[in-house]
Amino acid sequence: MDRNKVTVEDLLSFPALQLRLLAGAGGLRRAVSWAHVSELEDPTPWLLGAEMIMTTGLAVPRTAARQRAYLERLDDAGVCALALSAQLRVPPLHKAFFAAAEERSMPVLEIPLAVPFVAVAQEVAAAVQEDSRQRLGAQLQVFGALRWLATENLDTATLFRRLERLSGYDIHLCTPQGRPLLPGVPVPDPGVIPASADVPPTIPGGFVLPVPAPGGPAGFLIAFAREGARPAGLAVVQHIATVAALQLAVVRTERETLRREGAETLAELLQDVLDPPAARRRLQRHSIEGETALLVVRGVSEDALLRSLDGQPYLLLGRGEDRYVLGSPELRGAIAAMPGVAAGMSRPFPPGEPLRVAQREALRAASSAAESGRPLVMYGDDATGRWLPDDPAALAALVEHVLGEVLRYDAAHHTRMLPSVRTWMERDRRTDDAAAALHIHPNTLAYRLRRFAEITGRDLSSTGAFAEVWLAIRAAAQLGRVGDDTAGSSVRGEPPRPGGRPG
């Protein structure tokens, strides 16, 4: 007999048990962890794997299809063998039952009536005693993982490779959505991730356990017994899940510390109080090297942004409704994929350079994204912006010359003349589309366009006037003087919508 484990074949060799093999000879090398009596048709939620199930026959269904399903269910749960009591309540066994046992190499044994179930259980318990000592030793060594963390400063991947060698299991960790939970630990196949934490721990070939965290499970640990190893059992896997929870708390604390430091660094860079060498050293601490870009992100929560950028190096700073992100230009792909986002990105620049110009570029691009409905705009994508000066004073003079009267009119009368004209222009002068975006009737929009022409003295049907107004609107957007409000609430002096309500 193998000194390291007890097999079904070993039990057949015990003279006192007088067991007889009925089917499934291909599975005689299966390891036996326990012998358990069950008269349930489906005992699998209460099993841990490698048990030999003993029954008087009450649990065995009567029909061929249900007998086959019963045996397959036990095999899927990791049961090592099914032992039936001879001459008691075992129904006639169908060919389909024996065929399933042979197909799956699932041993089916017969226990003579003279041998009590308790005698079988005692023999199995005595035989696995040495294996139990090995499992206890593995548990104690897993507890030692806490000492490794304190004294050896192991990275996460190395820590879990040690735990795999000790436990005899391949370890996987994931969030409930199937994303990586800890760096360096692989995620499992999506098919084994449970829908909730309230499921039995046993799965075919191993265990699945929640990883505890404040507020509820952070994810799942999935452990599969390795071929040729000596799996240490559920208790050891539970201890590994606890180690995973502790390591996750450490990683999250480190990430939060780095995030706060990154926000402080980005704030200092925006204030231009760091010289380039010091800035580069700070950025290297956050793994930001090579070409960088500044992004201004709007329309999404910080939590959603953090999830989108998970695993990538960046600095993040919140300013009002804007989120400033500094990192590789490649971040734009993940940000642009976020639902509802409006983001602007500066031109790429070397790490550590002052952010004064990049900030202005990112803000302009973000405003352009919000106005156009595009998820992300890179500075320079807007061809019109190339014809505008960088000097704020020159931009302000252009806005005052072309739009000054209508800006004052909107402010005095609480109207939205300029946003309406801007929306109409952005939609290529399609009145119906622009009116729908503004939530007003097309007649109301036509009236606003006429009033704009009267106030500014510029007929928008003229190519020259149209170009001048469009450049002035782009200049006003860069100066932050054209809001994004496109709601169509009441405007004084406008013709009513159909139905008599004001436009």
Side-chain angles (χ1 to χ4, degrees), residues 180-317:
L181 186 63
L182 283 174
V185 183
V187 299
D189 184 275
V192 302
I193 302 173
S196 75
D198 301 321
V199 296
T202 304
I203 58 174
F207 304 103
V208 56
L209 294 171
V211 177
F220 296 97
L221 181 148
I222 293 89
F224 291 111
R226 289 205 311 274
E227 186 73 26
R230 298 170 60 187
L234 177 60
V236 166
V237 177
Q238 288 172 329
H239 296 325
I240 295 175
T242 301
V243 172
L246 293 172
Q247 185 68 355
L248 180 63
V250 170
V251 169
R252 285 180 170 177
T253 300
E254 291 174 348
R255 285 177 177 172
E256 185 57 34
T257 300
L258 279 175
R259 190 174 297 139
R260 287 198 300 269
E261 292 177 357
E264 293 172 1
T265 295
L266 183 50
E268 293 179 10
L269 287 170
L270 290 169
Q271 295 165 12
D272 199 15
V273 296
L274 287 178
D275 61 87
R280 284 192 288 271
R281 287 194 297 272
R282 295 270 197 99
L283 294 176
Q284 285 172 357
R285 171 169 165 73
H286 295 271
S287 301
I288 298 175
E289 300 178 285
E291 204 170 48
T292 55
L294 182 67
L295 297 99
V296 172
V297 183
R298 298 171 180 168
V300 294
S301 68
E302 184 169 312
D303 286 344
L305 184 57
L306 292 173
R307 288 194 298 271
S308 176
L309 299 178
D310 187 37
Q312 303 184 68
Y314 62 90
L315 305 185
L316 172 66
L317 175 67

Side-chain angles (χ1 to χ4, degrees), residues 393-480:
L395 293 173
L398 173 62
V399 172
E400 173 59 30
H401 176 66
V402 180
L403 304 175
E405 290 297 328
V406 78
L407 283 168
R408 284 185 283 275
Y409 183 92
D410 277 346
H413 297 84
H414 306 290
T415 57
R416 294 187 175 86
M417 203 80 65
L418 187 54
S420 299
V421 172
R422 182 203 67 197
T423 302
W424 176 72
M425 287 183 160
E426 287 173 350
R427 282 155 180 79
D428 298 325
R429 291 169 284 184
R430 293 191 297 269
T431 302
D432 288 346
D433 290 352
L438 291 160
H439 309 296
I440 60 176
H441 193 273
N443 290 344
T444 301
L445 177 58
Y447 172 79
R448 293 182 183 180
L449 295 174
R450 289 196 301 272
R451 286 291 292 139
F452 178 89
E454 292 170 3
I455 293 170
T456 62
R458 287 169 174 81
D459 182 359
L460 295 177
S461 64
S462 162
T463 300
F466 184 94
E468 186 180 28
V469 169
W470 178 240
L471 284 170
I473 286 177
R474 301 305 302 154
Q478 290 189 19
L479 294 172

Side-chain angles (χ1 to χ4, degrees), residues 54-86:
M54 299 183 291
T55 175
T56 62
L58 292 174
V60 182
R62 268 50 183 168
T63 67
R66 289 179 62 195
Q67 282 184 3
R68 183 184 183 97
Y70 168 70
L71 187 133
E72 290 176 341
R73 188 159 51 245
L74 295 180
D75 185 45
D76 288 341
V79 170
C80 66
L82 174 64
L84 308 171
S85 180

Side-chain angles (χ1 to χ4, degrees), residues 115-126:
V115 178
F117 284 171
V118 67
V120 178
Q122 287 175 340
E123 287 289 336
V124 172

